[in-house]
Amino acid sequence: MPSPLSPQKPLQGGQFDLSLADALSTMSQLKALQPTLEQAADMVSATLLGGHKLMLCGNGGSASDAAHIATEFTCRFSEDRRPYPAMALTADGGLMTAIGNDYHFEDIFKRQVVAFGKAGDLLIAISTSGQSRNLFLALEEAKKLGIQTIAFLGKTGGFTAGLADLELLILGSVTARIQEAQKFLLHVLCEIVEERLPR
C-alpha cells in the first residue's frame, strides 16, 4: 500500500522538462538586470535610511509577493536587526473592498498612496504583465506626490512600461516563470539592502 505522502499519479516528465527548460531560459536573462537591481537596492536603502517607508502593491500572486517582501523589511530577512517601515497596500481587505465598492477597483492602490504616501517614500509595483490599471494609477499618483517608484514587470511591460522611475522587466510569456524570476530578484534585493541596514 502506498504511503499517504506518495503522489497519486506519476509526474508527467514531458511537462516537467518543458517547465524546467522555460524556467532556466527565463532565469538566464536576470544577469543583465544586475545593474538595475543594484540601483533598486540603492533606492530602497536610501528610503529606509532616510526615515521613509516602502509601499508595495500587486494583484493576485503579485499581491502575495508584495505582502511577502513588506514582511521581509518590517520583520527581518535573515539577520536580526531593527524593523523598518514597509507596507503592502494589499494587506487590508476591508479597505480594498471599500474603495473598490465605493469608487472603482482601479483606485484601490491609488487612494492608499494618497492616504499614506509622503514625499521621500518609495512605491514598488509588481506585475507579470504591466496591464493592471490599478498599478498604473498608483504609480502615476506617486509621481505627483514626489514618491519614487520601482516597477517589477513581465512580458512586454504592457502600458505600464516606462512609467516608473526604475523598471525591471522579465521577458517571457509564461506567468508562472515570470513570477519565479521576480521572486528571485525581490529576494536578492532584500539580501543587498539588509547588509546596509543598521542592526
Side-chain angles (χ1 to χ4, degrees):
M1 181 174 182
S3 158
L5 299 178
S6 299
Q8 297 303 304
K9 61 180 183 178
L11 188 64
Q12 296 296 313
Q15 184 58 55
F16 179 90
D17 290 339
L18 286 172
S19 296
L20 180 58
D22 198 24
L24 292 171
S25 174
T26 303
M27 295 296 279
S28 69
Q29 69 183 277
L30 299 188
K31 181 63 177 173
L33 292 176
Q34 182 179 351
T36 311
L37 188 66
E38 291 282 356
Q39 286 181 263
D42 290 342
M43 292 171 67
V44 172
S45 300
T47 298
L48 297 179
L49 294 173
H52 302 288
K53 68 180 172 294
L54 303 181
M55 297 179 290
L56 299 97
C57 57
N59 294 290
S62 299
S64 298
D65 289 340
H68 173 179
I69 299 306
T71 299
E72 303 289 21
F73 284 107
T74 303
C75 181
R76 65 170 189 166
F77 185 69
S78 60
E79 301 295 329
D80 186 26
R81 57 159 170 79
R82 56 155 284 195
Y84 287 85
M87 59 187 299
L89 304 183
T90 57
D92 189 334
L95 177 56
M96 286 202 307
T97 53
I99 296 171
N101 186 63
D102 295 352
Y103 296 93
H104 301 283
F105 182 75
E106 65 184 26
D107 294 328
I108 60 173
F109 301 133
K110 170 186 172 180
R111 288 188 69 82
Q112 291 187 73
V113 168
V114 174
F116 303 125
K118 304 288 184 190
D121 291 342
L122 174 62
L123 175 68
I124 298 176
I126 307 168
S127 173
T128 58
S129 68
Q131 296 287 96
S132 299
R133 182 75 178 153
N134 54 16
L135 293 179
F136 182 92
L137 292 179
L139 289 166
E140 198 172 54
E141 194 64 34
K143 281 182 171 287
K144 295 177 187 175
L145 297 173
I147 296 168
Q148 291 193 91
T149 56
I150 299 173
F152 286 79
L153 302 175
K155 299 183 179 175
T156 65
F159 54 69
T160 307
L163 180 60
D165 295 316
L166 190 70
E167 178 178 296
L168 293 100
L169 176 63
I170 306 295
L171 300 173
S173 59
V174 181
T175 298
R177 305 290 85 85
I178 293 168
Q179 287 176 324
E180 290 154 6
Q182 288 179 335
K183 184 75 67 91
F184 175 84
L185 290 175
L186 288 163
H187 276 162
V188 176
L189 176 67
C190 291
E191 289 171 330
I192 295 170
V193 174
E194 187 160 88
E195 285 298 312
R196 304 174 181 179
L197 298 178
R199 300 304 194 251

